């Protein structure tokens, strides 16, 4: 998967050079498949996040959406035209979108990003997804993998999903695309938000920071560490019960941040499983599970977070249990089943 994404990145660079579409950086593998704990291998979706940068003559500006009642931080990516009248940029035979007449621009230059992938000056997720599908389909025949593998595009409105098969093996890949917040490991991305998320809203994602956290733990863990096995076992056990895999992942990440990695070895396996079980029960009884990244004072400093993420109050992932007694009763019943 990594080789395929790297090949795509090279061709993205060739195809998009000197265009007014976003620049595409190297894909970052995120989620359980790249963190090493997928609950069921036959259902693995390899998620990759592709950072986008503004093309020449454009800039991206992230604006936080004011509707905070949804317990999700959404942003809009405002696209702004920049003056390119300097001698260096004129040497590239580029007309300035701000200062050249519209008629001259229409006759001699491709349209700006505002006229292709935007809605009301904001980058549109669904238009960007359709553009990604066209790129993936057009570039595929040039890739070395195309000689032995078959590409099948899958429907999606906010990402680019496809399957590659060679008769014996099959891999499902989801390309998410996003914009980095400054120089941090936090992005706004095309991942699905709440039902009916407008196409100009980009949810904030912590997937890259979480993947970096698992890499941080792996570098410090002993060779026989079973922290990923603990997470994999619990996420497998709860399939079909009701607890999300993200709930279990959050609980295990909190424990990994507290319990030294030297205490996750084979001899500690049952004790750590007990810790996960007790933590889940305590969080359910309190109707509170803190988000792992937002507001975490113990988060590894080498993983860069924006200041507003570090200083924020951690959202409660169990807020619905506090608001709805019936949901809490059901969750406690599902815990007994687990």
């Amino acid at each position: 998967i990594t080789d395929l994404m790297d090949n795509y990145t090279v061709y993205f660079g060739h195809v998009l050079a000197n265009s007014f579409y976003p620049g595409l950086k190297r894909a970052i593998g995120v989620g359980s498949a790249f963190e090493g704990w997928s609950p069921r291998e036959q259902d693995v979706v390899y998620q990759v996040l592709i950072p986008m940068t503004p093309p020449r003559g454009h800039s991206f500006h992230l604006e936080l959406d004011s509707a905070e009642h949804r317990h999700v931080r959404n942003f809009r990516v405002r696209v702004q035209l920049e003056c390119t009248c300097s001698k260096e940029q004129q040497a590239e035979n580029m007309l300035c979108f701000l200062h050249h007449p519209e008629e001259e621009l229409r006759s001699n230059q491709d349209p700006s990003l505002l006229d292709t992938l935007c809605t009301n000056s904001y980058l549109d997720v669904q238009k960007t997804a359709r553009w990604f599908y066209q790129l993936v389909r057009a570039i595929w025949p040039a890739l070395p993998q195309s000689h032995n593998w078959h590409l099948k595009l899958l429907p999606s409105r906010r990402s680019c999903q496809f399957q590659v098969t060679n008769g014996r093996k099959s891999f499902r890949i989801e390309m998410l695309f996003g914009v980095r917040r400054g120089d941090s490991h936090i992005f706004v991305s095309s991942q699905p938000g709440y039902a009916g998320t407008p196409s100009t809203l980009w949810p904030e994602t912590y997937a890259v920071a979480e993947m970096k956290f698992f890499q941080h733990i792996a570098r410090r863990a002993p060779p026989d560490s079973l922290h990923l096995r603990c997470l994999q076992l619990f996420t497998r056990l709860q399939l079909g019960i009701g607890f999300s895999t993200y709930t279990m992942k959050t609980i295990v990440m909190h424990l990994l941040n507290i319990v030294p990695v030297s205490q996750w070895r084979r001899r500690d396996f049952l004790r750590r499983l007990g810790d996960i079980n007790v933590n889940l029960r305590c969080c359910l009884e309190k109707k509170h599970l803190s988000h792992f990244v937002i507001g975490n004072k113990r988060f590894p400093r080498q993983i860069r977070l924006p200041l507003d993420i570090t200083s924020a109050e951690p959202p409660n992932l169990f807020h619905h249990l506090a608001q709805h007694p019936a949901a809490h009763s059901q969750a406690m019943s599902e815990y007994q089943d687990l």
Side-chain angles (χ1 to χ4, degrees), residues 173-241:
I173 299 154
E174 180 176 23
M175 285 182 173
L176 300 166
F177 28 93
V179 177
R180 187 188 296 269
R181 290 198 57 202
D183 65 346
S184 74
H185 290 112
I186 303 297
F187 289 77
V188 301
S189 85
S190 63
Q191 68 183 18
Y194 55 87
T197 303
S199 62
T200 54
L201 283 189
W202 298 69
E204 190 170 60
T205 179
Y206 317 98
V208 174
E210 290 168 355
M211 179 273 296
K212 294 280 184 186
F213 174 76
F214 277 100
Q215 288 183 340
H216 166 76
I217 293 296
R219 284 193 294 269
R220 302 168 62 215
D224 64 340
S225 176
L226 294 179
H227 62 283
L228 294 177
R229 288 294 187 194
C230 289
L231 176 53
Q232 188 175 49
L233 175 60
F234 258 89
T235 51
R236 272 185 114 136
L237 283 175
Q238 60 80 39
L239 287 173
I241 289 180

Side-chain angles (χ1 to χ4, degrees), residues 129-300:
R130 289 195 291 270
W131 169 66
F132 255 89
Y133 272 111
Q134 293 169 356
L135 271 180
V136 168
R137 182 190 290 113
I139 290 173
W140 174 254
L143 301 184
Q145 286 85 355
S146 67
H147 302 304
N148 302 311
W149 295 79
H150 171 72
L151 174 73
K152 179 184 178 182
L153 297 173
L154 304 172
S156 176
R157 300 181 70 182
R158 293 184 63 93
S159 63
C160 178
Q161 297 189 35
F162 58 94
Q163 197 167 27
V164 290
T165 55
N166 69 351
R168 293 176 294 107
K169 292 184 179 179
S170 178
F171 297 103
R172 183 171 171 176
I173 299 154
E174 180 176 23
M175 285 182 173
L176 300 166
F177 28 93
V179 177
R180 187 188 296 269
R181 290 198 57 202
D183 65 346
S184 74
H185 290 112
I186 303 297
F187 289 77
V188 301
S189 85
S190 63
Q191 68 183 18
Y194 55 87
T197 303
S199 62
T200 54
L201 283 189
W202 298 69
E204 190 170 60
T205 179
Y206 317 98
V208 174
E210 290 168 355
M211 179 273 296
K212 294 280 184 186
F213 174 76
F214 277 100
Q215 288 183 340
H216 166 76
I217 293 296
R219 284 193 294 269
R220 302 168 62 215
D224 64 340
S225 176
L226 294 179
H227 62 283
L228 294 177
R229 288 294 187 194
C230 289
L231 176 53
Q232 188 175 49
L233 175 60
F234 258 89
T235 51
R236 272 185 114 136
L237 283 175
Q238 60 80 39
L239 287 173
I241 289 180
F243 299 113
S244 72
T245 55
Y246 194 71
T247 291
M248 304 312 303
K249 173 181 170 180
T250 300
I251 286 173
V252 171
M253 287 191 295
H254 277 299
L255 281 170
L256 283 168
N257 218 21
I258 298 170
V259 179
V261 288
S262 60
Q263 295 179 25
W264 289 82
R265 308 180 76 156
R266 184 175 297 275
R267 63 172 180 260
D268 306 303
F269 188 57
L270 290 178
R271 194 176 296 114
R272 295 293 80 82
L273 290 181
D275 289 344
I276 297 169
N277 182 45
V278 169
N279 272 265
L280 175 59
R281 188 184 70 237
C282 289
C283 290
L284 288 171
E285 290 173 348
K286 295 177 182 177
K287 307 173 190 175
H288 190 98
L289 173 60
S290 293
H291 194 281
F292 180 67
V293 178
I294 301 175
N296 187 345
K297 307 303 182 190
R298 298 173 59 97
F299 203 76

